[in-house]
Amino acid sequence: MATETTSAKWLATAAVILAVISHWSDAAVNIAPTSDDELGSFTETLLRHDVHNAAKYVTIHTQGRAASGTREDHAPNHLLTVDSRAYQIATISKLQLLYNNYVADAGVTEHVTAGERAEENNLLDAIIDTPVMSRTHRFLADKGYVRRDQKSFKDMMRELWFGMYSRGGGKLGSSAMEHIFLGELKKGEISGLHNWIFFNNQEAQNHADYLGYVRRVDLGGKGYILKLPLKWSHTYKPVGTMFIGTSPELEMALYTVCFFTRPNARCPIKLANQRIYIKTFTFRYRGKNYIGSAYPDI
């Protein structure tokens, strides 16, 4: 029975993988298996080559410990102090330009202007041009998940991260970028909000509030992973997780790799010689698979 159950799970996972890559791979049937050890080794390499890592410019103030689901504030001060030099990093500065492009309510249709599309492309160009993302492209192409040419890879990343889909009511009000790197409000609850740069931006304007930490993982001078309850836009999130101090391209690379290799599952990676898990969710809309959510699972 256990063997049959395990086989069924692998078949289900394989079916999701084939559906995910069907739009972007020339040879879906020739996917090379990716072991946990390979994922660990590769993600350690990504962290070493994260040239836009901002951890040296970020001071984290964890303050009091809090339980998941708390609404009590165990942290009277802001979570982060960020040196202005962090905002001069190309991918961080270009990410911030997107903050006024989205409507937080996932039930409201987004209307993307030509200027906003240009900002998205500028950010994507900057990310694609980094050592982290060039290695990610090569890794996924070697495994058969994506095509090798640069244009196809960029087109795939644009659709995967900026493609709009509806989370309900037929309203094109969501995307992986908005959900993960900013945040959304859906039926009175916070959805997403897994990026430290956006959270710090919102807390600096008193639109967000850090309530204390549940767990903290030290990435050996390259940043942290934090599990925390928080408040944003007068709404509480019982618990969430985010990287702290890492670059946008590193986070996007980790989530993309796990989306392809371990969809809808805990994806085992290694960072700073520690086993970390990434959780991704596939969102299917109009025959295509998008990233519904992705975050570190600690």
Side-chain angles (χ1 to χ4, degrees), residues 51-64:
V51 297
H52 288 158
N53 187 281
K56 63 184 177 182
Y57 301 127
V58 178
T59 303
I60 186 169
H61 311 289
T62 47
Q63 303 165 79

Side-chain angles (χ1 to χ4, degrees), residues 8 33 57 108 110 142 144 150 178 203:
Y57 301 127
V108 174
E110 300 275 4
D142 286 346
Q150 187 83 345
E178 181 184 8
E203 193 169 39

